[in-house]
C-alpha cells in the first residue's frame, strides 16, 4: 500500500468516471478521445487517451474543476514544464535527457453537467511503486541510486525554475520502460511550490503537508516546501527503497510522532542510518548520510548543489557495482568449487577424497568452501531442544586435536558414514548429521585416552544408539563388541558424579546408559532424586551432555519418569526408602 498523504485541508471531490470513447475538443483544435481509467490519484482519475486519428497512447488526468490539486499541476506544467522549455534547458546544460514529463494539452469539458478539468501528458510504462511492490517491497542499491540520480536531475530543473516538488515518492516516479531505472521520470506536481516568496516562518496550518512518512522536517514544522526539503525527502525514500521500511512507518497515522522520530533520526546521524542500513556498504551509508548532511546544512531558502550530489550518487553506484561484482565473483568461485566437487561425472569416491582432504582433522564429509569448513570445525557447545530434532554434541574447548590416533580403528566408522553420505547425495544436512555422529564417536574415543580417574561408560552404548535412530553413526563393528571390550575401550567422562561402572551387556543400550548415569543402586551420584525426576533439571546436569542427542532425550525421559514414580511412591508411603520399594508394597 502506498503511504498516505497527510489529510487535505480542503475536501476535494473525486471526479465522476468519464466513459471510454468520450471526445474532448481542445482549444488547439485537436480532439482527444478518453480511454480506460487505469489509476486514480487523490481525487482525480487517470485515463489513457489518444488523439483522434492517431494510435499513440497518452495519459489524461481528470478532476472536477473546483479541485485544487490538478489546477496546481496545470499551473506548474504551463509555467515550467512545456516541451520547448525542457528542450532549451537540456541544450543550455548540455544534458541529453531530464526525468520530467511535459504538458501536451489542458482545458475544461462538461460531462453530465459537471465542469471538469483535464490535462494530457505522456504515458509511461509503470510506476516505481508498482515495481517496488512486485519486488517484495525493496529495490537493489544500484536501482535505487539510479532512480535517485534521475530524481536529482529532475529536482535540479525544478529548483532552477524556483519550484520545490515536495512529494517525491515511488508512486510519483514513473519508468519510461519497465525494468529500466536510468530513465525514471518524476511526476505529480500537485504539491509543487513556487519558492520565490519562501520565508522561514512555520505556519501550523501547513504542518505535516506532503506524504507523512517521507515529508521534510521543514514541512512537518509548517514551512512551505523547500529545496533542501526535496533532498531530505529523497533520502528518506532511498532508505525505504533499499530496506523496505522506515523507522517511523508504524507511526504514519500520527504526524507529530513521525516528525519527532525523524528529528531523532537526523540528530543521531550517521549512527541511526547505519542502524537501518545494516547490510549496506560504507559507500552507500555515506552517500545517503551526505544527502541528509547537505540538506541539514543548507539554509531554508538556499538551493542545493545538485551537481555535487549527482556525482556522489554516480560514484556510489560505481562503487556498489564494483562491490557487487566482487561478491558475485566470490559466489561464482564458491559455486564452481562446489559443483566441481559435486558433479556426477566425477566418481563420488573422488569427490569425497577432495572434500575430506580439506577437513582432515575431523574426517568430515562436507561439500562447502574451505573457509566454511574451518569455521564449522571450531569446538562448540550446542544446546538441544526438547523434541531432539537436531544433532548436537558438546565438544570441550580443551580438545586441542581431534585427529584420530593411527592405532584407533576407524574403518567401520569411515565406511559407514561415507555410504550414508553417498545415499543422501552429500547434502549439507547429511553432512552435518554425519559430522555430529563422528564427533560423538571421536569424543568418546578421545576421552578413552584420558587418565582413568573417572568411571568409564562404554563406547558400545553410543554405537548401539546410533543404530537405533539410524543417524548414520558408525555402528557395525562396535555394536558387536563384548561388554569386556567395551570396558577396555571405555570412555571416561569428565562428570564423575554421573557415570557408573560399565554395565551388563545384556541390557539394551537405553538401559545401559540410563543405569550407568543415574542408578542410585549401582552408583551414588550425589544428584537428588528431585533433580532426577525433573527432565529440565536433568538436562542441566553437566554430564548428561556427554550423551548423543536423541538418546539423551530418551534417557532423560525414562529416568525422570522413573524417579517421578519413586518420589510419588515415597510420598504416599513415607516409611520406605526408594530401594525398599517394591510392586507388592
Ligand atoms: N503519465 C503517466 N503514465 C503512466 N501512469 C501514470 C501517469 N501519471 C500517473 N500515472 C499513474 O497514476 C498514479 C497516480 O498518479 P498521480 O500521482 O499523478 O495522480 P494524483 O491524482 O496526483 O495522485 P495523488 O494525489 O495520490 O498523488 C501513478 O502512481 C501512476 O501509477
Amino acid at each position: 500500500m502506498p503511504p498516505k498523504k497527510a489529510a487535505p485541508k480542503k475536501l476535494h471531490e473525486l471526479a465522476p468516471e468519464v466513459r471510454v470513447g468520450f471526445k474532448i475538443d481542445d482549444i488547439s483544435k485537436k480532439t482527444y478521445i478518453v480511454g480506460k481509467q487505469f489509476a486514480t490519484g487523490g481525487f482525480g482519475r487517470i485515463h489513457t487517451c489518444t488523439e483522434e486519428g492517431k494510435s499513440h497512447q497518452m495519459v489524461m488526468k481528470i478532476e472536477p474543476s473546483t479541485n485544487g490539486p490538478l489546477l496546481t499541476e496545470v499551473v506548474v506544467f504551463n509555467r515550467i514544464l512545456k516541451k520547448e522549455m525542457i528542450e532549451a534547458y537540456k541544450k543550455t546544460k548540455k544534458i541529453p535527457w531530464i526525468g520530467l514529463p511535459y504538458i501536451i494539452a489542458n482545458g475544461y469539458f462538461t460531462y453530465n453537467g459537471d465542469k471538469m478539468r483535464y490535462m494530457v501528458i505522456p504515458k509511461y510504462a509503470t510506476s516505481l511503486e508498482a515495481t517496488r511492490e512486485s519486488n517484495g517491497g525493496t529495490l537493489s542499491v544500484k536501482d535505487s541510486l539510479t532512480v535517485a540520480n534521475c530524481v536529482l536531475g529532475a529536482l535540479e530543473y525544478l529548483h532552477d525554475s524556483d519550484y520545490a516538488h515536495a512529494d517525491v515518492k515511488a508512486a510519483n516516479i514513473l519508468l519510461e520502460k519497465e525494468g529500466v531505472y536510468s530513465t525514471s521520470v518524476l511526476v505529480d506536481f500537485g504539491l509543487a511550490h513556487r519558492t520565490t516568496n519562501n520565508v522561514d516562518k512555520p505556519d501550523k496550518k501547513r504542518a505535516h503537508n506532503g506524504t507523512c512518512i517521507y515529508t521534510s522536517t521543514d514541512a512537518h514544522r509548517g514551512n512551505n516546501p523547500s529545496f533542501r526539503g526535496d533532498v531530505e525527502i529523497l533520502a528518506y525514500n532511498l532508505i525505504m527503497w533499499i530496506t523496505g521500511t522506515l523507522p517511523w512507518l508504524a507511526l504514519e497515522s500520527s504526524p507529530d510522532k513521525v516528525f519527532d522520530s525523524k528529528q531523532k533520526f537526523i540528530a543521531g546521524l550517521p549512527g541511526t542510518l547505519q542502524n537501518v542500513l545494516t547490510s549496506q556498504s560504507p559507500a552507500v551509508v555515506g552517500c545517503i548520510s551526505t544527502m541528509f548532511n547537505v540538506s541539514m546544512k543548507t539554509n531554508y531558502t538556499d538551493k542545493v548543489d545538485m551537481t555535487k550530489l549527482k556525482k556522489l550518487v554516480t560514484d556510489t553506484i560505481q562503487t556498489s557495482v564494483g562491490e557487487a561484482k566482487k561478491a558475485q565473483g566470490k559466489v561464482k568461485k564458491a559455486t564452481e568449487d562446489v559443483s566441481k566437487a559435486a558433479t556426477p561425472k566425477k566418481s563420488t569416491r573422488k569427490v569425497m577424497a577432495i572434500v575430506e582432504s580439506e577437513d582432515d582433522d575431523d574426517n568430515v564429509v562436507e561439500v562447502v568452501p574451505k573457509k566454511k569448513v574451518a569455521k564449522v570445525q571450531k569446538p562448540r557447545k550446542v544446546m538441544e531442544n526438547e523434541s531432539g530434532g537436531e544433532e548436537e554434541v558438546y565438544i570441550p574447548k580443551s580438545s586441542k586435536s581431534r585427529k584420530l590416533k593411527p592405532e584407533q580403528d576407524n574403518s567401520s566408522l569411515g565406511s559407514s558414514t561415507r555410504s550414508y553420505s553417498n545415499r543422501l547425495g552429500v547434502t549439507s544436512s547429511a553432512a552435518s548429521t554425519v559430522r555430529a555422529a563422528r564427533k560423538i564417536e571421536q569424543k568418546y574415543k578421545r576421552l578413552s585416552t584420558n587418565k582413568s580417574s573417572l568411571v568409564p561408560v562404554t563406547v558400545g552404548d553410543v554405537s548401539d544408539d546410533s543404530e537405533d535412530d539410524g543417524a548414520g553413526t558408525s555402528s557395525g563393528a562396535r555394536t558387536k563388541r563384548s561388554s569386556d571390550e567395551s570396558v577396555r575401550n571405555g570412555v571416561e567422562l569428565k562428570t564423575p558424579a554421573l557415570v557408573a561402572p560399565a554395565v551388563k551387556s545384556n541390557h539394551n543400550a537405553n538401559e545401559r546408559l540410563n543405569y550407568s548415569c543415574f542408578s542410585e543402586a549401582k552408583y551414588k551420584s550425589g544428584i537428588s532424586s528431585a533433580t532426577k525426576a525433573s527432565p529440565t533439571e536433568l538436562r542441566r546436569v553437566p554430564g548428561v551432555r556427554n550423551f548423543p542427542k536423541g538418546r539423551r532425550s530418551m534417557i532423560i525421559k525414562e529416568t525422570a519418569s522413573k524417579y517421578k514414580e519413586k518420589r510419588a511412591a515415597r510420598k504416599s508411603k513415607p516409611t520406605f526408602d526408594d530401594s525398599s520399594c517394591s510392586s507388592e508394597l
Side-chain angles (χ1 to χ4, degrees):
M1 280 286 285
K4 297 157 202 158
K5 274 187 179 176
K9 304 296 172 212
K10 280 183 211 156
L11 197 63
H12 303 292
E13 280 174 63
L14 178 64
E17 200 174 338
V18 178
R19 72 174 161 81
V20 175
F22 185 78
K23 288 185 180 176
I24 299 167
D25 293 323
D26 188 67
I27 46 161
S28 63
K29 309 259 183 279
K30 287 178 179 165
T31 300
Y32 292 100
I33 303 169
V34 176
K36 267 190 187 166
Q37 179 194 318
F38 68 94
T40 44
F43 309 97
R45 294 182 186 273
I46 297 148
H47 293 251
T48 58
C49 84
T50 48
E51 195 187 321
E52 196 170 43
K54 293 185 179 168
S55 59
H56 180 69
Q57 294 234 319
M58 296 169 286
V59 158
M60 183 179 278
K61 287 181 90 170
I62 302 172
E63 278 188 27
S65 65
T66 46
N67 280 7
L70 186 57
L71 169 64
T72 307
E73 244 193 311
V74 167
V75 169
V76 175
F77 267 99
N78 278 307
R79 272 206 185 131
I80 63 168
L81 292 172
K82 285 187 173 161
K83 199 172 183 179
E84 59 274 20
M85 293 173 178
I86 295 172
E87 289 305 319
Y89 185 85
K90 274 161 52 181
K91 225 176 175 181
T92 318
K93 289 270 180 173
K94 297 189 176 70
I95 46 174
W97 181 88
I98 298 180
L100 285 167
Y102 57 90
I103 192 161
I104 297 170
N106 75 281
Y108 299 97
F109 64 89
T110 305
Y111 189 76
N112 290 342
D114 292 317
K115 192 176 177 192
M116 315 284 282
R117 177 178 284 114
Y118 73 93
M119 178 179 72
V120 181
I121 54 172
K123 185 173 187 307
Y124 301 100
T126 185
S127 78
L128 187 69
E129 184 64 6
T131 310
R132 187 180 76 89
E133 277 172 8
S134 67
N135 246 12
T138 58
L139 297 167
S140 73
V141 167
K142 187 187 164 219
D143 295 341
S144 301
L145 291 175
T146 304
V147 173
N149 227 357
C150 298
V151 172
L152 285 172
L155 288 177
E156 187 176 22
Y157 177 93
L158 296 178
H159 293 186
D160 283 348
S161 312
D162 290 329
Y163 266 90
H165 184 277
D167 199 17
V168 172
K169 59 181 177 184
N172 289 340
I173 295 168
L174 306 179
L175 307 185
E176 281 189 343
K177 214 172 151 200
E178 216 154 317
V180 178
Y181 300 92
S182 55
T183 48
S184 303
V185 176
L186 181 63
V187 298
D188 192 353
F189 303 88
L191 289 181
H193 175 78
R194 202 175 193 189
T195 53
T196 37
N197 294 325
N198 265 6
V199 276
D200 195 352
K201 204 174 164 205
D203 180 346
K204 281 220 159 149
K205 280 182 270 158
R206 286 191 296 251
H208 314 297
N209 259 0
T211 301
C212 190
I213 60 167
Y214 303 122
T215 205
S216 67
T217 41
D218 275 336
H220 276 295
R221 260 191 299 277
N223 269 351
N224 275 321
S226 56
F227 304 127
R228 66 181 188 186
D230 277 345
V231 174
E232 184 188 342
I233 294 170
L234 177 61
Y236 293 140
N237 271 279
L238 273 170
I239 299 172
M240 183 67 165
W241 302 340
I242 294 170
T243 68
T245 190
L246 282 165
W248 42 87
L249 199 60
L251 308 172
E252 193 177 2
S253 52
S254 315
D256 283 322
K257 287 183 185 166
V258 172
F259 180 31
D260 192 47
S261 180
K262 280 180 190 166
Q263 282 177 304
K264 284 178 185 151
F265 182 84
I266 286 165
L269 284 167
T272 45
L273 186 64
Q274 259 158 353
N275 288 344
V276 295
L277 295 174
T278 42
S279 57
Q280 298 308 323
S281 69
V284 174
V285 179
C287 173
I288 301 175
S289 190
T290 304
M291 287 173 99
F292 279 116
N293 268 347
V294 165
S295 168
M296 295 309 137
K297 282 181 183 163
T298 303
N299 290 324
Y300 173 63
T301 51
D302 285 356
K303 289 196 173 127
V304 179
D305 188 340
M306 290 297 189
T307 314
K308 263 191 190 167
L309 277 185
K310 282 193 291 183
K311 182 168 184 326
L312 170 75
V313 172
T314 310
D315 290 349
T316 311
I317 293 171
Q318 265 153 22
T319 312
S320 62
V321 167
E323 281 165 358
K325 270 188 186 159
K326 258 191 211 166
Q328 251 176 14
K330 277 184 191 165
V331 171
K332 204 179 159 205
K333 170 120 191 14
T335 315
E336 279 168 6
D337 289 349
V338 169
S339 59
K340 252 187 219 163
T343 176
K345 281 177 189 162
K346 293 185 182 172
S347 83
T348 316
R349 196 167 273 283
K350 207 169 176 186
V351 171
M352 294 304 174
I354 294 163
V355 177
E356 282 180 16
S357 72
E358 288 185 349
D359 200 1
D360 248 353
D361 243 9
D362 231 348
N363 268 341
V364 169
V365 181
E366 193 177 25
V367 187
V368 287
K370 201 167 182 174
K371 236 182 178 175
K372 250 191 168 176
V373 173
K375 211 175 172 188
V376 172
Q377 286 172 359
K378 277 183 191 164
R380 68 185 191 278
K381 187 180 176 185
V382 186
M383 303 298 285
E384 73 171 335
N385 59 29
E386 201 61 39
S387 63
E390 271 225 329
E391 294 295 336
E392 289 162 352
V393 66
Y394 175 55
I395 310 289
K397 277 192 177 153
S398 59
S399 308
K400 279 181 186 160
S401 167
R402 284 183 282 149
K403 272 187 184 164
L404 292 173
K405 290 184 178 170
E407 65 271 22
Q408 284 174 316
D409 177 15
N410 191 40
S411 55
S412 65
L413 169 72
S415 63
S416 156
T417 45
R418 269 179 204 134
S419 61
Y420 181 73
S421 307
N422 283 345
R423 270 202 318 276
L424 294 184
V426 199
T427 62
S428 61
S429 63
S432 85
T433 306
V434 171
R435 191 169 59 241
R438 279 175 175 271
K439 277 175 182 166
I440 293 162
E441 176 80 12
Q442 286 162 27
K443 177 178 163 52
Y444 276 65
K445 289 207 169 196
R446 191 170 53 250
L447 288 170
S448 75
T449 62
N450 289 354
K451 281 177 189 157
S452 56
S453 57
L454 306 172
V455 186
V457 166
T458 63
V459 173
D461 293 335
V462 180
S463 49
D464 281 354
D465 295 345
S466 60
E467 241 187 5
D468 287 350
D469 59 28
T473 317
S474 75
S475 51
R478 289 179 302 120
T479 48
K480 284 182 193 120
R481 269 183 206 142
S482 68
S483 59
D484 282 348
E485 271 181 294
S486 298
V487 172
R488 203 169 53 242
N489 296 325
V491 291
E492 297 161 346
L493 302 181
K494 290 187 176 179
T495 50
L498 276 173
V499 290
V503 290
K504 284 178 192 169
S505 58
N506 61 351
H507 276 123
N508 70 26
N510 253 346
E511 284 168 333
R512 267 182 279 159
L513 284 170
N514 194 348
Y515 277 86
S516 66
C517 280
F518 306 116
S519 171
E520 281 181 32
K522 292 181 184 202
Y523 190 82
K524 280 285 170 199
S525 67
I527 295 167
S528 73
S529 57
T531 300
K532 290 170 194 163
S534 156
T536 320
E537 291 302 315
L538 267 178
R539 204 170 287 283
R540 288 195 193 121
V541 174
V544 173
R545 299 210 188 287
N546 289 318
F547 295 103
K549 188 158 187 304
R551 183 62 42 216
R552 188 177 2 175
S553 293
M554 226 182 319
I555 292 163
I556 287 169
K557 204 174 146 199
E558 285 179 11
T559 307
S561 87
K562 179 179 151 192
Y563 277 88
K564 248 183 218 159
E565 276 171 28
K566 279 191 178 182
R567 280 167 63 77
R570 210 170 25 213
K571 267 185 197 159
S572 60
K573 296 180 176 57
T575 49
F576 298 107
D577 67 10
D578 286 352
S579 58
S580 62
C581 286
S582 74
S583 56
E584 285 95 56
L585 291 167

